Amino acid sequence: MPGGHLTYDDRRKISEGLAEGLTYAEIARRLGRPRSTIGREIARNGGPHGYHAGRAQQATGWRARRRPAAPASTAAGGAVRRDPQAVREFEERLTATFGGVPTMAARVMACLFTSDTGNLTVAELTERLRVSPASISKGVGWLEQVGLVRRERDNRRERYIIDAEVWYRAWLLGTRSMMLWTETVREGVDILGADTPAGVRLATASRFFELISTDMAQAAEHYRQTFAPTGDVPR
């Protein structure tokens, strides 16, 4: 039934549809399901390039076994009531959107973003993600290396933090990458000759990357000027 749970046969047809290069909408029509259902199913089970019917079926059973019987109650102080299953599904979709980020690092990022405090310990991340501390350490290590999280010691525990500057730092990282591309490509023009077809091609690429890096740097500064007065992004 369109409103019921997906079966293994449904998941097999989704896998076949992805292999054929069908869009989510085409797969949804083939199964008689809403497109949003197909999109969520694929996002939470490896994405369009990593989806496998068998693994998706096993993961669904595992999630069902660990699902709480009822939504979280309202916390003291009037916090908004949340559906734990909806939160987990959102975290899975968010993880799938972090293109280019290693899977475990992306999962850690999603957990930090959806925590009210914006900081979690290894034990808390391990409990939420159901993985080993070593896996958490590997994901956090990558995020620290690129400047997306930082760590602080809380008594004898280390706490991993994502703050208001995270996207500013990530943007600057991209800006530096564009500048490196500019410099590297510009060297190729001198080596291959500015009047050669290869040199002309590289010169065009150099101008492109230079323009992009300049625009990115200006956007980052605009962000600082916009948010710094509120204290969200301290200088």
PDB file of all heavy atoms in Angstrom, residues 1-7 10-11 31-34 37-38 40-41 44:
ATOM      1  N   MET A   1       0.847  -1.199   0.000  1.00  0.00           N
ATOM      2  CA  MET A   1       0.000   0.000   0.000  1.00  0.00           C
ATOM      3  C   MET A   1       0.878   1.244   0.000  1.00  0.00           C
ATOM      4  O   MET A   1       1.930   1.279   0.636  1.00  0.00           O
ATOM      5  CB  MET A   1      -0.893   0.003   1.248  1.00  0.00           C
ATOM      6  CG  MET A   1      -1.886  -1.148   1.295  1.00  0.00           C
ATOM      7  SD  MET A   1      -3.090  -1.066  -0.046  1.00  0.00           S
ATOM      8  CE  MET A   1      -3.989   0.392   0.443  1.00  0.00           C
ATOM      9  N   PRO A   2       0.463   2.335  -0.734  1.00  0.00           N
ATOM     10  CA  PRO A   2       1.277   3.543  -0.812  1.00  0.00           C
ATOM     11  C   PRO A   2       1.622   4.120   0.540  1.00  0.00           C
ATOM     12  O   PRO A   2       2.686   4.687   0.727  1.00  0.00           O
ATOM     13  CB  PRO A   2       0.400   4.496  -1.633  1.00  0.00           C
ATOM     14  CG  PRO A   2      -0.473   3.597  -2.456  1.00  0.00           C
ATOM     15  CD  PRO A   2      -0.732   2.403  -1.584  1.00  0.00           C
ATOM     16  N   GLY A   3       0.723   3.991   1.536  1.00  0.00           N
ATOM     17  CA  GLY A   3       0.999   4.589   2.837  1.00  0.00           C
ATOM     18  C   GLY A   3       1.709   3.666   3.801  1.00  0.00           C
ATOM     19  O   GLY A   3       2.026   4.057   4.912  1.00  0.00           O
ATOM     20  N   GLY A   4       1.936   2.376   3.411  1.00  0.00           N
ATOM     21  CA  GLY A   4       2.538   1.421   4.317  1.00  0.00           C
ATOM     22  C   GLY A   4       4.051   1.459   4.274  1.00  0.00           C
ATOM     23  O   GLY A   4       4.668   2.239   3.553  1.00  0.00           O
ATOM     24  N   HIS A   5       4.664   0.549   5.068  1.00  0.00           N
ATOM     25  CA  HIS A   5       6.105   0.467   5.112  1.00  0.00           C
ATOM     26  C   HIS A   5       6.643  -0.149   3.824  1.00  0.00           C
ATOM     27  O   HIS A   5       5.994  -0.999   3.199  1.00  0.00           O
ATOM     28  CB  HIS A   5       6.552  -0.364   6.314  1.00  0.00           C
ATOM     29  CG  HIS A   5       6.205   0.268   7.638  1.00  0.00           C
ATOM     30  ND1 HIS A   5       6.730   1.474   8.032  1.00  0.00           N
ATOM     31  CD2 HIS A   5       5.373  -0.144   8.639  1.00  0.00           C
ATOM     32  CE1 HIS A   5       6.258   1.786   9.235  1.00  0.00           C
ATOM     33  NE2 HIS A   5       5.428   0.826   9.621  1.00  0.00           N
ATOM     34  N   LEU A   6       7.845   0.234   3.460  1.00  0.00           N
ATOM     35  CA  LEU A   6       8.493  -0.360   2.295  1.00  0.00           C
ATOM     36  C   LEU A   6       8.866  -1.803   2.601  1.00  0.00           C
ATOM     37  O   LEU A   6       9.336  -2.128   3.694  1.00  0.00           O
ATOM     38  CB  LEU A   6       9.747   0.429   1.934  1.00  0.00           C
ATOM     39  CG  LEU A   6       9.535   1.843   1.376  1.00  0.00           C
ATOM     40  CD1 LEU A   6      10.870   2.570   1.244  1.00  0.00           C
ATOM     41  CD2 LEU A   6       8.826   1.806   0.028  1.00  0.00           C
ATOM     42  N   THR A   7       8.673  -2.667   1.625  1.00  0.00           N
ATOM     43  CA  THR A   7       9.043  -4.069   1.763  1.00  0.00           C
ATOM     44  C   THR A   7      10.405  -4.300   1.112  1.00  0.00           C
ATOM     45  O   THR A   7      10.955  -3.417   0.443  1.00  0.00           O
ATOM     46  CB  THR A   7       8.005  -4.960   1.074  1.00  0.00           C
ATOM     47  OG1 THR A   7       8.033  -4.693  -0.343  1.00  0.00           O
ATOM     48  CG2 THR A   7       6.603  -4.680   1.613  1.00  0.00           C
ATOM     49  N   ASP A  10      10.096  -3.791  -2.519  1.00  0.00           N
ATOM     50  CA  ASP A  10      10.139  -2.365  -2.862  1.00  0.00           C
ATOM     51  C   ASP A  10      11.582  -1.884  -2.924  1.00  0.00           C
ATOM     52  O   ASP A  10      11.976  -1.163  -3.845  1.00  0.00           O
ATOM     53  CB  ASP A  10       9.385  -1.535  -1.816  1.00  0.00           C
ATOM     54  CG  ASP A  10       7.886  -1.767  -1.843  1.00  0.00           C
ATOM     55  OD1 ASP A  10       7.360  -2.089  -2.917  1.00  0.00           O
ATOM     56  OD2 ASP A  10       7.259  -1.631  -0.777  1.00  0.00           O
ATOM     57  N   ARG A  11      12.370  -2.275  -1.934  1.00  0.00           N
ATOM     58  CA  ARG A  11      13.766  -1.827  -1.872  1.00  0.00           C
ATOM     59  C   ARG A  11      14.577  -2.410  -3.030  1.00  0.00           C
ATOM     60  O   ARG A  11      15.480  -1.754  -3.561  1.00  0.00           O
ATOM     61  CB  ARG A  11      14.374  -2.193  -0.519  1.00  0.00           C
ATOM     62  CG  ARG A  11      13.733  -1.432   0.631  1.00  0.00           C
ATOM     63  CD  ARG A  11      14.423  -1.643   1.968  1.00  0.00           C
ATOM     64  NE  ARG A  11      13.936  -0.659   2.921  1.00  0.00           N
ATOM     65  CZ  ARG A  11      12.927  -0.858   3.769  1.00  0.00           C
ATOM     66  NH1 ARG A  11      12.308  -2.037   3.784  1.00  0.00           N
ATOM     67  NH2 ARG A  11      12.540   0.098   4.589  1.00  0.00           N
ATOM     68  N   LEU A  31       6.730   2.414  -8.160  1.00  0.00           N
ATOM     69  CA  LEU A  31       6.294   1.718  -6.949  1.00  0.00           C
ATOM     70  C   LEU A  31       4.938   2.186  -6.444  1.00  0.00           C
ATOM     71  O   LEU A  31       4.375   1.593  -5.512  1.00  0.00           O
ATOM     72  CB  LEU A  31       7.329   1.903  -5.828  1.00  0.00           C
ATOM     73  CG  LEU A  31       8.454   0.865  -5.755  1.00  0.00           C
ATOM     74  CD1 LEU A  31       9.364   0.961  -6.975  1.00  0.00           C
ATOM     75  CD2 LEU A  31       9.268   1.052  -4.483  1.00  0.00           C
ATOM     76  N   GLY A  32       4.427   3.282  -6.997  1.00  0.00           N
ATOM     77  CA  GLY A  32       3.171   3.826  -6.501  1.00  0.00           C
ATOM     78  C   GLY A  32       3.314   4.443  -5.130  1.00  0.00           C
ATOM     79  O   GLY A  32       2.415   4.347  -4.289  1.00  0.00           O
ATOM     80  N   ARG A  33       4.490   5.071  -4.913  1.00  0.00           N
ATOM     81  CA  ARG A  33       4.787   5.686  -3.613  1.00  0.00           C
ATOM     82  C   ARG A  33       5.047   7.173  -3.787  1.00  0.00           C
ATOM     83  O   ARG A  33       5.412   7.625  -4.886  1.00  0.00           O
ATOM     84  CB  ARG A  33       6.041   5.050  -3.018  1.00  0.00           C
ATOM     85  CG  ARG A  33       5.944   3.562  -2.780  1.00  0.00           C
ATOM     86  CD  ARG A  33       5.309   3.274  -1.452  1.00  0.00           C
ATOM     87  NE  ARG A  33       5.326   1.853  -1.143  1.00  0.00           N
ATOM     88  CZ  ARG A  33       5.108   1.360   0.048  1.00  0.00           C
ATOM     89  NH1 ARG A  33       4.896   2.176   1.067  1.00  0.00           N
ATOM     90  NH2 ARG A  33       5.126   0.058   0.266  1.00  0.00           N
ATOM     91  N   PRO A  34       4.922   7.979  -2.708  1.00  0.00           N
ATOM     92  CA  PRO A  34       5.301   9.398  -2.789  1.00  0.00           C
ATOM     93  C   PRO A  34       6.794   9.541  -3.053  1.00  0.00           C
ATOM     94  O   PRO A  34       7.607   8.740  -2.565  1.00  0.00           O
ATOM     95  CB  PRO A  34       4.925   9.947  -1.399  1.00  0.00           C
ATOM     96  CG  PRO A  34       3.947   8.967  -0.844  1.00  0.00           C
ATOM     97  CD  PRO A  34       4.338   7.636  -1.384  1.00  0.00           C
ATOM     98  N   THR A  37       8.951   9.692   0.073  1.00  0.00           N
ATOM     99  CA  THR A  37       9.252   8.410   0.707  1.00  0.00           C
ATOM    100  C   THR A  37      10.493   7.779   0.087  1.00  0.00           C
ATOM    101  O   THR A  37      11.374   7.276   0.791  1.00  0.00           O
ATOM    102  CB  THR A  37       8.059   7.446   0.563  1.00  0.00           C
ATOM    103  OG1 THR A  37       6.927   8.004   1.228  1.00  0.00           O
ATOM    104  CG2 THR A  37       8.375   6.080   1.147  1.00  0.00           C
ATOM    105  N   ILE A  38      10.575   7.827  -1.229  1.00  0.00           N
ATOM    106  CA  ILE A  38      11.732   7.257  -1.937  1.00  0.00           C
ATOM    107  C   ILE A  38      12.991   8.047  -1.601  1.00  0.00           C
ATOM    108  O   ILE A  38      14.062   7.480  -1.357  1.00  0.00           O
ATOM    109  CB  ILE A  38      11.486   7.260  -3.454  1.00  0.00           C
ATOM    110  CG1 ILE A  38      10.208   6.470  -3.796  1.00  0.00           C
ATOM    111  CG2 ILE A  38      12.686   6.674  -4.181  1.00  0.00           C
ATOM    112  CD1 ILE A  38      10.199   5.046  -3.286  1.00  0.00           C
ATOM    113  N   ARG A  40      13.689   9.831   1.115  1.00  0.00           N
ATOM    114  CA  ARG A  40      14.129   9.552   2.475  1.00  0.00           C
ATOM    115  C   ARG A  40      14.769   8.173   2.581  1.00  0.00           C
ATOM    116  O   ARG A  40      15.780   7.989   3.245  1.00  0.00           O
ATOM    117  CB  ARG A  40      12.955   9.663   3.460  1.00  0.00           C
ATOM    118  CG  ARG A  40      12.512  11.082   3.754  1.00  0.00           C
ATOM    119  CD  ARG A  40      11.612  11.122   4.988  1.00  0.00           C
ATOM    120  NE  ARG A  40      10.412  10.315   4.792  1.00  0.00           N
ATOM    121  CZ  ARG A  40       9.280  10.790   4.288  1.00  0.00           C
ATOM    122  NH1 ARG A  40       9.200  12.053   3.907  1.00  0.00           N
ATOM    123  NH2 ARG A  40       8.218  10.011   4.151  1.00  0.00           N
ATOM    124  N   GLU A  41      14.156   7.200   1.919  1.00  0.00           N
ATOM    125  CA  GLU A  41      14.684   5.838   1.965  1.00  0.00           C
ATOM    126  C   GLU A  41      16.096   5.769   1.411  1.00  0.00           C
ATOM    127  O   GLU A  41      16.988   5.146   2.002  1.00  0.00           O
ATOM    128  CB  GLU A  41      13.759   4.920   1.150  1.00  0.00           C
ATOM    129  CG  GLU A  41      14.311   3.549   0.830  1.00  0.00           C
ATOM    130  CD  GLU A  41      14.463   2.659   2.056  1.00  0.00           C
ATOM    131  OE1 GLU A  41      13.869   2.974   3.111  1.00  0.00           O
ATOM    132  OE2 GLU A  41      15.166   1.644   1.951  1.00  0.00           O
ATOM    133  N   ARG A  44      18.751   7.798   3.728  1.00  0.00           N
ATOM    134  CA  ARG A  44      19.119   7.195   5.011  1.00  0.00           C
ATOM    135  C   ARG A  44      19.843   5.857   4.855  1.00  0.00           C
ATOM    136  O   ARG A  44      20.278   5.262   5.821  1.00  0.00           O
ATOM    137  CB  ARG A  44      17.878   7.011   5.887  1.00  0.00           C
ATOM    138  CG  ARG A  44      16.923   5.923   5.436  1.00  0.00           C
ATOM    139  CD  ARG A  44      15.904   5.609   6.529  1.00  0.00           C
ATOM    140  NE  ARG A  44      15.013   6.720   6.755  1.00  0.00           N
ATOM    141  CZ  ARG A  44      13.693   6.690   6.534  1.00  0.00           C
ATOM    142  NH1 ARG A  44      13.141   5.589   6.058  1.00  0.00           N
ATOM    143  NH2 ARG A  44      12.942   7.724   6.771  1.00  0.00           N
TER     144      ARG A  44
END
